[in-house]
Amino acid sequence: MQKDCILGIDIGGSGVKGAIVDIRRGEFATDRLRIPTPTPHTPKNILGAINDIVEHFKWSGVMGCGFPGVIRSQIIETAANIGGKNFIGVNLAEQIGQTCGCEAWVVNDADAAGIAEMRFGAGKGNKGVVMVITVGTGIGVSMFTNGVLVPNLEFGHLRMRDKSSRKNYAAEKLCSDAVRKSHDMQWRHWAERFNKYLQYVHNLCWPDLVVLGGGIASKSDKFMKYINVDCDVVVAKLENRAGIIGSAYNAWRMLKK
Ligand code: BGC
C-alpha cells in the first residue's frame, strides 16, 4: 500500500463501512467493505465491527473514523441514532487504539463528508458559505465558510412542525431517508417535506451552496426536480463515499501531515 493511503471508516445506524483511501486523490484505493451495524449498538459491538474492517484490510497505523454524534476532544457527547447513552463519554479514538492497535482520529460523520466534498468534491474551491447535508438514517449537516468548518452543527435536530399530527419533531424524524423508507413515502411527498427543511435551514444560515449527500445522493433523479431553495443546490460528487474519504483525509491531516 502506498504511503499516502489511510483507512477510513464510516459508522452508521445500519452499516459500518470502510475502505482504504488515497488521500492525495480523494479516491478509494480498495473496494468498500460494509458490515451491518451489529445490535445492540454497544461500544463493544461497534468496536468489533471496526476491528473486522481493520483485519479485512490488514491495516496498521493511522486510521480515521466518522461517528454519527457530537465529538469534542475525541469524546462522544451525543449519539442520537446509535447506541443512545452507551456511547456518551467514550473516547472512541482511544478505544479503537486499544482494540485494533491503530492510531485513530474520530470526527462527526457529516463533518467528515463535508471535509471530503470541500477538498475533493462539489464544494472544492468554494470560498462562500457551503452547507453539506447528509441524508441517511439521520440528517447530518456541516457548514464551511471560506473552506473552514464549524464542527458539530447538529441541524438534523432542528424542530419542525408535522402538519398531520400538529406536533413538533426533530427534522430527521420527519424527513431522513430512513423515515422515507419506513413510511414507504412517495419520492415527491418526501422531497416536498425535505424541501421545507432546506428552506428552513436556508433562512437560518443563508448558504451560497448546499451539497446533498448520504444515501440519497445516488437517487438524485428521483427528488432533485422537487427541490426549490433560493441558492445553488447540487448532489455530492463523492455520493455516499464522502464519509469514508473525509474521515481518512481528516485523520491524515490531524495525525500525519
Ligand atoms: C446525529 C448527527 C449525525 C447525523 C447523521 C444525527 O442523528 O446527531 O451527529 O451527523 O445524525 O448521521
Side-chain angles (χ1 to χ4, degrees):
M1 195 55 62
Q2 307 118 4
K3 69 176 173 44
D4 293 329
C5 285
I6 299 271
L7 175 64
I9 290 187
D10 185 17
I11 300 174
S14 62
V16 182
K17 293 133 311 199
I20 294 175
V21 177
D22 176 334
I23 42 87
R24 297 272 173 206
R25 300 155 74 99
E27 287 169 3
F28 284 0
T30 60
D31 283 344
R32 184 187 81 144
L33 175 68
R34 180 184 189 278
I35 297 177
T37 310
T39 49
H41 292 163
T42 57
K44 186 167 176 273
N45 282 344
I46 304 292
L47 282 161
I50 294 172
N51 197 44
D52 288 347
I53 294 176
V54 168
E55 283 183 354
H56 170 85
F57 288 112
K58 301 186 174 47
W59 190 253
S60 59
V62 168
M63 58 170 277
C65 185
F67 183 87
V70 171
I71 315 289
R72 284 199 304 182
S73 308
Q74 296 298 286
I75 308 283
I76 296 173
E77 305 271 0
T78 71
N81 283 319
I82 193 159
K85 291 198 174 127
N86 290 330
F87 277 97
I88 312 300
V90 169
N91 184 324
L92 191 58
E94 208 172 85
Q95 299 276 315
I96 292 172
Q98 281 164 17
T99 309
C100 315
C102 294
E103 193 183 0
W105 190 269
V106 180
V107 64
N108 170 266
D109 58 353
D111 289 350
I115 288 166
E117 285 297 325
M118 293 305 289
R119 177 70 182 83
F120 304 107
K124 190 174 174 183
N126 194 311
K127 302 247 179 274
V129 175
V130 180
M131 300 190 90
V132 178
I133 304 187
T134 63
V135 187
T137 306
I139 293 183
V141 179
S142 55
M143 182 161 72
F144 300 78
T145 174
N146 198 15
V148 179
L149 170 72
V150 181
N152 295 313
L153 215 51
E154 292 298 307
F155 274 10
H157 298 271
L158 287 173
R159 308 290 289 178
M160 280 181 73
R161 189 106 177 132
D162 174 35
K163 261 210 307 220
S164 51
S165 66
R166 288 193 270 162
K167 285 187 180 153
N168 292 331
Y169 293 95
E172 67 176 16
K173 298 286 175 228
L174 292 174
C175 50
S176 68
D177 200 35
V179 169
R180 180 188 65 78
K181 287 179 186 154
S182 69
H183 288 67
D184 205 12
M185 284 165 90
Q186 303 273 332
W187 275 103
R188 185 186 184 137
H189 180 197
W190 173 82
E192 284 170 358
R193 222 186 234 198
F194 181 66
N195 197 59
K196 287 209 178 97
Y197 171 68
L198 282 184
Q199 286 171 343
Y200 182 18
V201 169
H202 178 268
N203 289 347
L204 289 175
C205 301
W206 295 92
D208 300 297
L209 173 68
V210 171
V211 179
L212 298 179
I216 57 150
S218 56
K219 300 157 197 156
S220 59
D221 56 315
K222 307 262 193 244
F223 67 85
M224 278 305 268
K225 51 184 175 264
Y226 305 116
I227 299 298
N228 178 20
V229 193
D230 197 13
C231 68
D232 291 336
V233 181
V234 297
V235 175
K237 231 179 173 169
L238 307 172
E239 296 190 335
N240 61 356
R241 300 186 306 284
I244 294 176
I245 293 173
S247 65
Y249 177 72
N250 192 54
W252 174 78
R253 246 181 9 178
M254 300 306 289
L255 297 170
K256 279 198 103 171
K257 201 175 166 185

PDB file of all heavy atoms in Angstrom, residues 169-181:
ATOM      1  N   TYR A 169     -41.301  17.889  15.768  1.00  0.00           N
ATOM      2  CA  TYR A 169     -40.334  16.790  15.837  1.00  0.00           C
ATOM      3  C   TYR A 169     -38.978  17.288  15.361  1.00  0.00           C
ATOM      4  O   TYR A 169     -38.893  18.268  14.608  1.00  0.00           O
ATOM      5  CB  TYR A 169     -40.740  15.644  14.901  1.00  0.00           C
ATOM      6  CG  TYR A 169     -42.004  14.938  15.303  1.00  0.00           C
ATOM      7  CD1 TYR A 169     -43.225  15.300  14.744  1.00  0.00           C
ATOM      8  CD2 TYR A 169     -41.971  13.903  16.226  1.00  0.00           C
ATOM      9  CE1 TYR A 169     -44.392  14.650  15.113  1.00  0.00           C
ATOM     10  CE2 TYR A 169     -43.131  13.244  16.594  1.00  0.00           C
ATOM     11  CZ  TYR A 169     -44.344  13.623  16.045  1.00  0.00           C
ATOM     12  OH  TYR A 169     -45.484  12.978  16.410  1.00  0.00           O
ATOM     13  N   ALA A 170     -37.918  16.544  15.752  1.00  0.00           N
ATOM     14  CA  ALA A 170     -36.603  16.797  15.140  1.00  0.00           C
ATOM     15  C   ALA A 170     -36.757  16.559  13.647  1.00  0.00           C
ATOM     16  O   ALA A 170     -37.421  15.590  13.234  1.00  0.00           O
ATOM     17  CB  ALA A 170     -35.574  15.847  15.723  1.00  0.00           C
ATOM     18  N   ALA A 171     -36.158  17.423  12.825  1.00  0.00           N
ATOM     19  CA  ALA A 171     -36.310  17.316  11.367  1.00  0.00           C
ATOM     20  C   ALA A 171     -35.994  15.908  10.869  1.00  0.00           C
ATOM     21  O   ALA A 171     -36.670  15.388   9.982  1.00  0.00           O
ATOM     22  CB  ALA A 171     -35.408  18.338  10.686  1.00  0.00           C
ATOM     23  N   GLU A 172     -34.960  15.267  11.459  1.00  0.00           N
ATOM     24  CA  GLU A 172     -34.583  13.944  10.937  1.00  0.00           C
ATOM     25  C   GLU A 172     -35.645  12.884  11.224  1.00  0.00           C
ATOM     26  O   GLU A 172     -35.645  11.834  10.610  1.00  0.00           O
ATOM     27  CB  GLU A 172     -33.208  13.517  11.450  1.00  0.00           C
ATOM     28  CG  GLU A 172     -33.129  13.249  12.925  1.00  0.00           C
ATOM     29  CD  GLU A 172     -31.750  12.733  13.355  1.00  0.00           C
ATOM     30  OE1 GLU A 172     -30.783  12.861  12.594  1.00  0.00           O
ATOM     31  OE2 GLU A 172     -31.679  12.209  14.474  1.00  0.00           O
ATOM     32  N   LYS A 173     -36.557  13.166  12.148  1.00  0.00           N
ATOM     33  CA  LYS A 173     -37.650  12.218  12.407  1.00  0.00           C
ATOM     34  C   LYS A 173     -38.774  12.399  11.386  1.00  0.00           C
ATOM     35  O   LYS A 173     -39.714  11.602  11.304  1.00  0.00           O
ATOM     36  CB  LYS A 173     -38.223  12.406  13.822  1.00  0.00           C
ATOM     37  CG  LYS A 173     -37.229  12.157  14.921  1.00  0.00           C
ATOM     38  CD  LYS A 173     -36.949  10.668  15.081  1.00  0.00           C
ATOM     39  CE  LYS A 173     -35.865  10.383  16.099  1.00  0.00           C
ATOM     40  NZ  LYS A 173     -34.836   9.462  15.683  1.00  0.00           N
ATOM     41  N   LEU A 174     -38.689  13.475  10.601  1.00  0.00           N
ATOM     42  CA  LEU A 174     -39.724  13.727   9.594  1.00  0.00           C
ATOM     43  C   LEU A 174     -39.233  13.479   8.168  1.00  0.00           C
ATOM     44  O   LEU A 174     -40.014  13.087   7.307  1.00  0.00           O
ATOM     45  CB  LEU A 174     -40.220  15.187   9.695  1.00  0.00           C
ATOM     46  CG  LEU A 174     -41.003  15.541  10.947  1.00  0.00           C
ATOM     47  CD1 LEU A 174     -41.288  17.034  10.982  1.00  0.00           C
ATOM     48  CD2 LEU A 174     -42.316  14.766  10.987  1.00  0.00           C
ATOM     49  N   CYS A 175     -37.933  13.739   7.924  1.00  0.00           N
ATOM     50  CA  CYS A 175     -37.522  13.650   6.512  1.00  0.00           C
ATOM     51  C   CYS A 175     -36.140  13.054   6.289  1.00  0.00           C
ATOM     52  O   CYS A 175     -35.487  13.392   5.296  1.00  0.00           O
ATOM     53  CB  CYS A 175     -37.680  14.997   5.805  1.00  0.00           C
ATOM     54  SG  CYS A 175     -36.954  16.403   6.645  1.00  0.00           S
ATOM     55  N   SER A 176     -35.709  12.121   7.155  1.00  0.00           N
ATOM     56  CA  SER A 176     -34.487  11.371   6.829  1.00  0.00           C
ATOM     57  C   SER A 176     -34.823  10.328   5.763  1.00  0.00           C
ATOM     58  O   SER A 176     -36.000  10.088   5.455  1.00  0.00           O
ATOM     59  CB  SER A 176     -33.947  10.665   8.076  1.00  0.00           C
ATOM     60  OG  SER A 176     -34.852   9.652   8.445  1.00  0.00           O
ATOM     61  N   ASP A 177     -33.806   9.700   5.218  1.00  0.00           N
ATOM     62  CA  ASP A 177     -34.052   8.635   4.237  1.00  0.00           C
ATOM     63  C   ASP A 177     -34.667   7.415   4.935  1.00  0.00           C
ATOM     64  O   ASP A 177     -35.491   6.703   4.347  1.00  0.00           O
ATOM     65  CB  ASP A 177     -32.738   8.252   3.538  1.00  0.00           C
ATOM     66  CG  ASP A 177     -32.987   7.541   2.222  1.00  0.00           C
ATOM     67  OD1 ASP A 177     -33.972   7.884   1.542  1.00  0.00           O
ATOM     68  OD2 ASP A 177     -32.201   6.641   1.871  1.00  0.00           O
ATOM     69  N   ALA A 178     -34.270   7.189   6.205  1.00  0.00           N
ATOM     70  CA  ALA A 178     -34.839   6.059   6.960  1.00  0.00           C
ATOM     71  C   ALA A 178     -36.344   6.252   7.130  1.00  0.00           C
ATOM     72  O   ALA A 178     -37.124   5.292   7.006  1.00  0.00           O
ATOM     73  CB  ALA A 178     -34.156   5.962   8.320  1.00  0.00           C
ATOM     74  N   VAL A 179     -36.791   7.492   7.373  1.00  0.00           N
ATOM     75  CA  VAL A 179     -38.228   7.772   7.527  1.00  0.00           C
ATOM     76  C   VAL A 179     -38.947   7.554   6.192  1.00  0.00           C
ATOM     77  O   VAL A 179     -40.016   6.948   6.132  1.00  0.00           O
ATOM     78  CB  VAL A 179     -38.452   9.217   8.044  1.00  0.00           C
ATOM     79  CG1 VAL A 179     -39.913   9.622   7.963  1.00  0.00           C
ATOM     80  CG2 VAL A 179     -37.935   9.348   9.470  1.00  0.00           C
ATOM     81  N   ARG A 180     -38.310   8.020   5.102  1.00  0.00           N
ATOM     82  CA  ARG A 180     -38.912   7.813   3.777  1.00  0.00           C
ATOM     83  C   ARG A 180     -39.161   6.325   3.532  1.00  0.00           C
ATOM     84  O   ARG A 180     -40.246   5.913   3.126  1.00  0.00           O
ATOM     85  CB  ARG A 180     -37.991   8.369   2.673  1.00  0.00           C
ATOM     86  CG  ARG A 180     -38.533   8.206   1.261  1.00  0.00           C
ATOM     87  CD  ARG A 180     -37.510   8.585   0.210  1.00  0.00           C
ATOM     88  NE  ARG A 180     -36.346   7.710   0.200  1.00  0.00           N
ATOM     89  CZ  ARG A 180     -36.318   6.483  -0.338  1.00  0.00           C
ATOM     90  NH1 ARG A 180     -37.373   5.989  -0.923  1.00  0.00           N
ATOM     91  NH2 ARG A 180     -35.208   5.754  -0.287  1.00  0.00           N
ATOM     92  N   LYS A 181     -38.128   5.518   3.857  1.00  0.00           N
ATOM     93  CA  LYS A 181     -38.253   4.076   3.603  1.00  0.00           C
ATOM     94  C   LYS A 181     -39.271   3.433   4.544  1.00  0.00           C
ATOM     95  O   LYS A 181     -40.130   2.678   4.101  1.00  0.00           O
ATOM     96  CB  LYS A 181     -36.896   3.392   3.791  1.00  0.00           C
ATOM     97  CG  LYS A 181     -35.915   3.699   2.664  1.00  0.00           C
ATOM     98  CD  LYS A 181     -34.604   2.996   2.948  1.00  0.00           C
ATOM     99  CE  LYS A 181     -33.535   3.358   1.948  1.00  0.00           C
ATOM    100  NZ  LYS A 181     -32.185   3.223   2.493  1.00  0.00           N
TER     101      LYS A 181
END
